[in-house]
Each structure stands twice: as C-alpha cells, then as structure tokens.
C-alpha cells in the first residue's frame, strides 16, 4: 500500500479505462459545458478547458477521486473485466 499526499494509491491493471477518473468524472461534464461552442483555434479550446477546470470546486475533484474506490472494488471482484457505471 502506497500513500501519497494523504491518498492511498490502489493497484490496478495498467490498462483499465473504466477506472480512469478522467473518463467517468471529468470528460462528461466538460463536454456538456462546452457543447455547441464554436472555437476559432486550438488555443481557444485550451483556454476554455482551463477556465472550466479552474472553476470547479475542490470538492468536485475530491468526489471524483472517492468515486473510484467502489469502481476499483468492482473491478477486483470481476477480476479486471470491464466495470459498468
């Protein structure tokens, strides 16, 4: 068991996209926030994403990390097979 910055780092398979916090907690709401926006260039997209990320409260990020625990447990129970939400 490894602890970093007060968080316990849980072991998981090297390729487990269903356990990636960015996939199930970050990108869905981000897509919703910028859906329908027309961007002039890549820099405009980068700026919009940075602005949105900075606007999220610390508790929102914490919630996403805490949601990983039950998903990790499910993955362990099914021996690494795909885990539905």
């Amino acid at each position: 068991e490894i602890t970093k910055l007060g968080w316990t780092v849980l072991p998981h398979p090297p390729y487990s996209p269903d356990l990636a916090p960015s996939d199930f907690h970050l990108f869905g709401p981000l897509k919703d926030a910028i859906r329908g926006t027309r961007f002039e260039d890549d820099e405009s997209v980068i700026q919009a994403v940075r602005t949105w990320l900075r606007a999220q409260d610390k508790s929102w990020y914490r919630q996403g990390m805490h949601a990983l625990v039950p998903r990790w447990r499910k993955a362990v129970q099914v021996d690494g097979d795909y885990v539905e939400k």
Side-chain angles (χ1 to χ4, degrees), residues 1-53:
E1 179 176 296
I2 301 170
T3 303
K4 293 184 180 184
L5 301 173
W7 292 89
T8 301
V9 179
L10 301 173
H12 60 83
Y15 181 72
S16 52
D18 48 320
L19 295 176
S22 56
D23 288 350
F24 79 94
H25 186 71
L26 176 63
F27 289 130
L30 174 58
K31 279 188 343 186
D32 291 342
I34 63 174
R35 180 174 282 126
T37 305
R38 288 183 132 334
F39 297 100
E40 294 297 319
D41 53 26
D42 289 349
E43 190 55 40
S44 299
V45 176
I46 292 168
Q47 188 58 43
V49 169
R50 284 182 177 157
T51 299
W52 185 84
L53 290 170

Side-chain angles (χ1 to χ4, degrees), residues 41-78:
D41 53 26
D42 289 349
E43 190 55 40
S44 299
V45 176
I46 292 168
Q47 188 58 43
V49 169
R50 284 182 177 157
T51 299
W52 185 84
L53 290 170
R54 289 180 182 132
Q56 304 315 302
D57 190 68
K58 287 180 185 178
S59 63
W60 185 81
Y61 289 102
R62 187 176 297 116
Q63 177 188 1
M65 295 307 290
H66 283 283
L68 279 174
V69 174
R71 292 176 66 84
W72 178 81
R73 285 187 181 127
K74 273 180 134 177
V76 170
Q77 289 171 350
V78 297

